[in-house]
Amino acid sequence: MQSKIIVKPVCTRRDYITFVKFPFKLYRKNCLWVPPLIIDELNTLMPSRNPVYKNADAELFLAFQNNVLVGRIAIIINWLEVNKLKKRRARFGWYDVIDDISVSRVLFDQVEKFAHKHKAEIIEGPMGFSNFEKAGLLTYGYDKMPTMATLYNNQYYVNHLRELGFKESLKWVEYEIDYPDEEKRKVLKKFSDLIKKRYKLKIVKLRSSKEVIPYLYELFELIEASYKLLETYVPIEKSQIENYKNRFLKFISPEYIKLVINNDGKLVAFSVTIPSLEKALIKAKGKLYPLGIFYLTRALRKNNKAAFYLIGIHPLYLGKGIPSIIFDEMATVFSKNGIQTFETNPELETNIEVQQLWKRYEPRIHKKRATFSRVLSVK
């Protein structure tokens, strides 16, 4: 007879630490799982540390069997999504379990109670509070290491969700692309120079990450303009922008940030690329100290792979060849730093405009992921 599974809400600081550390144990023998930084996870999940809670409610749950931790989940209502976008969606995330459907079932019982309490109409995930947290279960590419911005999960997660009545909702693809050869580089350079001249555009030369700060709010306005029609979009408040700035800017080398401005000094496009930090994070084991900082810093300086983290183009400049400027600049950086391959972050299958950006460079789909949703019954 199977022992009873007990679900407890996360309340104390120790609970939060237990919640964050669970996948470290679950995936300890999996060489493809990339551990997050523990401090970063705590800064995201704890209400006292994340200003997103001004516009969101969330509960976190831990599942125990015979006093052994066997699962976790978070359930979120983003009120900006509900009130501004009129989507009564409850988001679940940070979903990790052993391969026992009973554990998933009791966790999702709690998710459903929370969703009903907040009058949600649909449960969907995995998602975070906004577009800047990891989203989408891996559905293809289980033999590939994720980027630091994406999830890795065991294949049975998908089986659990389907058995619980969830269906695939949003679908993403991820591409792997090789550094362009010399002939393609010449064509890219020629086209980039032509576009800059035609539309009177130039690249902002950044000497330090701090020089991004004057453009930060304009950059987030451009993110909103670029992504607001996507299904996953949620408005971002100024307090969140400050939070993201403090958390992430220190990890991005200025040469990997590209800002394109017009003749009036207005931002019309940007990209953020990060040398692959996955192997460094594995070595760091979730900690910045004593050696985590060293591993990450070394990976930022010496790497043969990078990830295209973000790219945005003002709607007025779509279809005008602006990506060629960004790619030309990045190709120069890649050549200088020995980057041979880069991969894209997840792109919605329906986001054809973004996928068209890569078509010249023989992209390979090497991972797929999806959110899973279930309509709530009326109570």
Side-chain angles (χ1 to χ4, degrees), residues 91-127:
R91 299 162 161 244
F92 71 85
W94 288 270
Y95 166 56
D96 287 291
V97 289
I98 64 170
D99 191 8
D100 183 342
I101 186 63
S102 301
V103 179
S104 287
R105 184 172 286 112
V106 296
L107 285 171
F108 278 99
D109 284 346
Q110 296 298 324
V111 166
E112 189 161 332
K113 288 176 185 177
F114 179 92
H116 275 300
K117 175 183 174 182
H118 291 86
K119 298 181 170 56
E121 296 173 353
I122 189 170
I123 301 169
E124 186 171 359
M127 292 178 168

Side-chain angles (χ1 to χ4, degrees), residues 5-9 60-64 73 103 106-108 110:
I5 299 165
I6 297 172
V7 177
K8 297 179 179 179
L60 283 60
F61 296 98
L62 297 165
F64 294 87
I73 201 163
V103 179
V106 296
L107 285 171
F108 278 99
Q110 296 298 324

Side-chain angles (χ1 to χ4, degrees), residues 15-187:
D15 290 341
Y16 279 101
I17 293 172
T18 300
F19 184 92
V20 168
K21 286 187 173 181
F22 172 63
F24 285 76
K25 178 182 177 182
L26 184 67
Y27 289 99
R28 68 185 181 277
K29 296 182 180 179
N30 189 319
C31 62
L32 295 175
W33 181 73
V34 177
L37 291 173
I38 293 169
I39 187 65
D40 193 47
E41 290 286 272
L42 292 173
N43 287 341
T44 298
L45 292 168
M46 295 180 73
S48 60
R49 301 187 185 187
N50 192 344
V52 75
Y53 278 94
K54 294 176 183 177
N55 299 293
D57 284 306
E59 283 193 45
L60 283 60
F61 296 98
L62 297 165
F64 294 87
Q65 191 173 40
N66 295 327
N67 293 319
V68 176
L69 182 58
V70 290
R72 69 170 190 173
I73 201 163
I75 180 69
I76 300 160
I77 297 285
N78 187 311
W79 292 110
L80 294 176
E81 179 174 50
V82 173
N83 297 324
K84 289 190 176 183
L85 304 183
K86 308 303 179 186
K87 295 179 182 177
R88 301 203 67 85
R89 174 165 60 189
R91 299 162 161 244
F92 71 85
W94 288 270
Y95 166 56
D96 287 291
V97 289
I98 64 170
D99 191 8
D100 183 342
I101 186 63
S102 301
V103 179
S104 287
R105 184 172 286 112
V106 296
L107 285 171
F108 278 99
D109 284 346
Q110 296 298 324
V111 166
E112 189 161 332
K113 288 176 185 177
F114 179 92
H116 275 300
K117 175 183 174 182
H118 291 86
K119 298 181 170 56
E121 296 173 353
I122 189 170
I123 301 169
E124 186 171 359
M127 292 178 168
F129 292 93
S130 72
N131 301 62
F132 288 90
E133 276 89 40
K134 300 173 185 179
L137 275 189
L138 192 65
T139 58
Y140 169 79
Y142 296 101
D143 59 338
K144 303 290 193 303
M145 190 178 291
T147 68
M148 63 177 287
T150 57
L151 295 166
Y152 183 87
N153 55 268
N154 289 313
Q155 193 167 355
Y156 63 77
Y157 285 33
V158 174
N159 300 333
H160 284 204
L161 290 175
R162 285 178 176 156
E163 190 168 338
L164 293 173
F166 285 84
K167 296 181 179 179
E168 285 190 15
S169 182
L170 304 173
K171 299 178 184 179
W172 288 268
V173 292
E174 296 174 46
Y175 293 100
E176 187 175 57
I177 303 168
D178 293 329
Y179 176 80
D181 60 30
E182 193 60 34
E183 193 61 35
K184 288 178 182 176
R185 281 284 291 114
K186 289 178 181 178
V187 173

